[in-house]
Amino acid sequence: MKSTTRRILAAATAAPIVLALTAPAASAEPAPVKIDFSGCADRLPVGADPAQWFCNIFVIGGGSMKLGSITQPLTEPMTISMASGPDRAGNPAQIVTLKSKPMTVPGGALGIPGTENLPGMTLQAQPKYVGNFGLSIDDSGNLHSALDLRIKLINALMGDKCYIGTTKAPIKLNTTVDPTSLTPYDNDVFGLTLNDDAYSVPGTSGCGVLGPVANLRGGLPSAAGQNTASMRTYLASKAYTDLYPALRKKARSKVVKRLPFNLPSSVLRRK
């Protein structure tokens, strides 16, 4: 997985490939989520050629994720911004950030439907980026995405350091794209659905004396095969010279238009 992902990014950073872009259908509509490029770094590595750098956006805009006994609707968007390009020596480089908002957990702290809005019973979950984000293509041409997360649990009694998973033992998603879900939108945005039913969910950490209670509430830890995720996702990309026109004066080469994350056009064709 990692080696394939690196090959995709290497193609994007060392020598951008001219791709036959899949043109959106004439009836394409605007994407149903906001595509926000502000999360990409506003400064590039010293000596980098701005014409070779792109801001890639990966927005999880809906779906659900099962974490043990909790099925969490994804009611708030998660935006992953990945700036990618070659450094001064021509080596592939990337800068990844994730923006997310807390989401109310159905059933609240007690797991009883309808109690999530009662004082002291509210429980919220907020995804936090750990690492390992990347896209890859297997030998059959199927698109996959990897993402390591931990989930911050927010409740008045749990303190500020209560998480599902840790930076060393995160939730490791390895999703596969449903090829029937590919949808083109205006402005070269592509929608797709990512699925994973093979990840495990670790127990909680940093929850103090309520750690055992949090694990009992969430049915954690939860073994691989007991959890499922289905995430509606949107991809977009913009050249740094378009994001920051002032960088055009520093460009040493010509920008070559390409698909988000430098994916081959065959991957994003409607099937």
Side-chain angles (χ1 to χ4, degrees), residues 49-69:
D49 181 358
Q52 302 296 316
W53 276 75
F54 288 80
C55 177
N56 301 283
I57 302 299
F58 183 100
V59 181
I60 299 174
S64 64
M65 187 174 180
K66 189 173 185 293
L67 306 165
S69 61

Side-chain angles (χ1 to χ4, degrees), residues 48-244:
D49 181 358
Q52 302 296 316
W53 276 75
F54 288 80
C55 177
N56 301 283
I57 302 299
F58 183 100
V59 181
I60 299 174
S64 64
M65 187 174 180
K66 189 173 185 293
L67 306 165
S69 61
I70 297 174
T71 298
Q72 179 61 47
L74 302 178
T75 55
E76 295 287 349
M78 288 181 278
T79 299
I80 298 173
S81 304
M82 187 185 80
S84 63
D87 62 18
R88 180 163 49 185
N91 299 313
Q94 64 184 54
I95 306 168
V96 180
T97 60
L98 183 148
K99 290 182 180 179
S100 66
K101 295 180 179 179
M103 297 174 283
T104 298
V105 176
L110 297 178
I112 301 175
T115 65
E116 56 267 21
N117 294 319
L118 295 178
M121 295 296 102
T122 298
L123 180 63
Q124 293 181 306
Q126 183 176 12
K128 297 289 185 176
Y129 180 68
V130 173
N132 198 37
F133 174 70
L135 302 180
S136 64
I137 302 171
D138 63 23
D139 293 339
S140 299
N142 298 311
L143 180 62
H144 303 267
S145 173
L147 177 62
D148 291 356
L149 296 169
R150 58 179 179 156
I151 308 296
K152 184 174 185 179
L153 298 177
I154 304 171
N155 174 269
L157 300 178
M158 289 183 177
D160 194 46
K161 298 180 179 180
C162 184
Y163 289 87
I164 298 174
T166 66
T167 55
K168 293 184 178 180
I171 301 168
K172 301 180 74 67
L173 296 176
N174 187 3
T175 63
T176 301
V177 171
D178 175 2
T180 66
S181 70
L182 300 176
T183 307
Y185 294 97
D186 284 345
N187 299 317
D188 293 328
V189 177
F190 296 87
L192 44 84
T193 299
L194 299 168
N195 299 309
D196 187 359
D197 60 4
Y199 61 95
S200 61
V201 181
T204 61
S205 65
C207 304
V209 296
L210 292 180
V213 177
N215 283 331
L216 180 64
R217 162 68 177 97
L220 304 173
S222 181
Q226 302 299 311
N227 311 286
T228 57
S230 181
M231 302 178 291
R232 186 60 181 170
T233 306
Y234 304 86
L235 309 181
S237 180
K238 186 173 287 189
Y240 258 79
T241 50
D242 290 334
L243 280 178
Y244 303 103

Side-chain angles (χ1 to χ4, degrees), residues 27-63:
S27 59
E29 299 179 352
V33 297
K34 180 181 179 181
I35 303 298
D36 182 7
F37 290 95
S38 65
C40 276
D42 57 1
R43 294 185 180 182
L44 299 180
V46 176
D49 181 358
Q52 302 296 316
W53 276 75
F54 288 80
C55 177
N56 301 283
I57 302 299
F58 183 100
V59 181
I60 299 174

